[in-house]
Amino acid sequence: MPLNLIQLSTYLDYITASGERELNYIFGLFDLDASTRRKSGNSINFKPAVKPRRQLRIINKALTMELLSSGMFGYIDHPAEVQSNCTVSNIRAQNSSGDTDSAVVPNNFAQRGMPDITVDYESFMVMLEVSAKYQPSLEDFVKQLNGALKHARALRDQKYGQPIHCVVINERTLEHVANKEALEEVLKDIQPSEEIYLTVVSIEEFASLGQAMAGDYKNEAASVGAADLLSVLKGTAEKGVNGKFHRLFEEHLAGLKSRAGNPNQVFW
């Protein structure tokens, strides 16, 4: 993805603002704007074609949110592969004579039955469930939480045996009581033996973490490993509805920076 960390986190903030001009510019960065889609043959065949321009904007916004979030997460431990389950098109160049002249490009957001983004660290998995919906209702929020849990359990059914940490990202934040209560109800349904952990980060909070990683903690963010990430995820899960992944991660980065600045300091 030809975007650096500061750009990714900044553009995530545009998603919450939902400004038409800014989002069209971001769509263009991913060749998802309507004119580029038409030129490359990456258009969507709407069935039936009801208000296709509006539908395409909704698709592009959700798909862009997935790409930005997966790209942001790629900076946390720099994993070898971050899998975004968006649908793709195989675009063949003009006057092409074979498959070698084709390119795979994003086409649509992740469809039902698939988690949006997964990262397998071998000893644990991180699953991201994202939504770019503007001002989602509490009902929308609960559906996303239950969808994340359903996807995690589907992985269990496929015999994935390591802990699964689900991070739900949308406009809602656990700073609000109603959102905490909704998450608490879903958490009650998860048995400890399942080793499935669920938390929530708002788009704004996730973008703020990206700004901190690209600014004050640039060196630390580039060097954190899977063990650091797992430590933050475990700390978040232990706090339940009071767990703040973005804050704990930033505190962890601050600790690494302090330790690097004073190598003789003892941490108890």
Side-chain angles (χ1 to χ4, degrees):
M1 187 176 297
L3 298 173
N4 61 36
L5 185 58
I6 194 74
Q7 288 174 309
L8 289 168
S9 54
T10 300
Y11 294 156
L12 274 171
D13 274 336
Y14 288 162
I15 294 289
T16 57
S18 197
E20 182 78 29
R21 180 178 179 181
E22 291 87 347
L23 288 177
N24 283 337
Y25 168 69
I26 298 170
F27 297 160
L29 295 174
F30 295 110
D31 290 338
L32 294 174
D33 55 296
S35 61
T36 304
R37 275 183 178 269
R38 286 193 297 270
K39 290 177 182 177
S40 64
N42 191 28
S43 58
I44 295 176
N45 184 21
F46 293 105
K47 298 179 182 180
V50 178
K51 298 181 179 179
R53 181 176 297 177
R54 182 179 178 185
Q55 288 186 46
L56 183 60
R57 186 174 185 277
I58 292 172
I59 289 170
N60 281 349
K61 185 179 178 184
L63 175 55
T64 298
M65 179 65 187
E66 291 180 5
L67 294 172
L68 290 174
S69 297
S70 60
M72 271 275 292
F73 209 82
Y75 282 87
I76 302 177
D77 192 48
H78 297 283
E81 179 177 325
V82 178
Q83 181 171 328
S84 177
N85 290 315
C86 60
T87 64
V88 298
S89 291
N90 196 332
I91 306 301
R92 183 169 296 178
Q94 291 183 347
N95 303 319
S96 170
S97 59
D99 293 338
T100 56
D101 297 323
S102 65
V104 176
V105 295
N107 178 268
N108 203 337
F109 53 81
Q111 301 300 292
R112 287 175 179 263
M114 295 288 291
D116 293 336
I117 301 150
T118 56
V119 191
D120 189 352
Y121 288 98
E122 295 185 356
S123 61
F124 67 99
M125 177 177 286
V126 173
M127 175 188 297
L128 302 183
E129 290 292 338
V130 306
S131 172
K133 191 167 186 176
Y134 183 57
Q135 295 183 338
S137 66
L138 186 60
E139 182 182 4
D140 292 328
F141 180 59
V142 172
K143 285 181 179 178
Q144 190 181 8
L145 292 175
N146 285 318
L149 179 54
K150 182 178 180 180
H151 291 153
R153 284 175 169 162
L155 284 174
R156 280 282 176 264
D157 291 340
Q158 296 168 20
K159 308 303 180 185
Y160 181 82
Q162 302 301 327
I164 301 173
H165 289 268
C166 306
V167 182
V168 173
I169 306 173
N170 62 24
E171 284 198 9
R172 286 184 170 262
T173 170
L174 291 181
E175 296 292 340
H176 297 154
V177 174
N179 299 335
K180 282 186 176 181
E181 291 176 345
L183 175 60
E184 188 171 31
E185 286 302 308
V186 177
L187 292 178
K188 287 179 181 178
D189 189 44
I190 304 174
Q191 299 300 316
S193 59
E194 292 184 273
E195 291 191 290
I196 294 174
Y197 309 97
L198 187 62
T199 193
V200 174
V201 181
S202 75
I203 298 173
E204 184 178 3
E205 291 163 347
F206 193 47
S208 177
L209 174 60
Q211 294 281 340
M213 291 168 64
D216 292 341
Y217 307 113
K218 183 177 181 179
N219 294 332
E220 292 72 29
S223 62
V224 293
D228 298 281
L229 177 58
L230 183 58
S231 175
V232 174
L233 289 168
K234 283 183 174 180
T236 304
E238 288 170 0
K239 293 179 180 294
V241 297
N242 296 311
K244 304 289 195 303
F245 171 78
H246 60 293
R247 288 184 183 172
L248 291 179
F249 199 98
E250 191 168 339
E251 289 173 5
H252 188 81
L253 293 173
L256 294 176
K257 185 171 185 176
S258 177
R259 194 177 309 173
N262 187 2
N264 296 321
Q265 184 175 356
V266 177
F267 289 82
W268 299 98

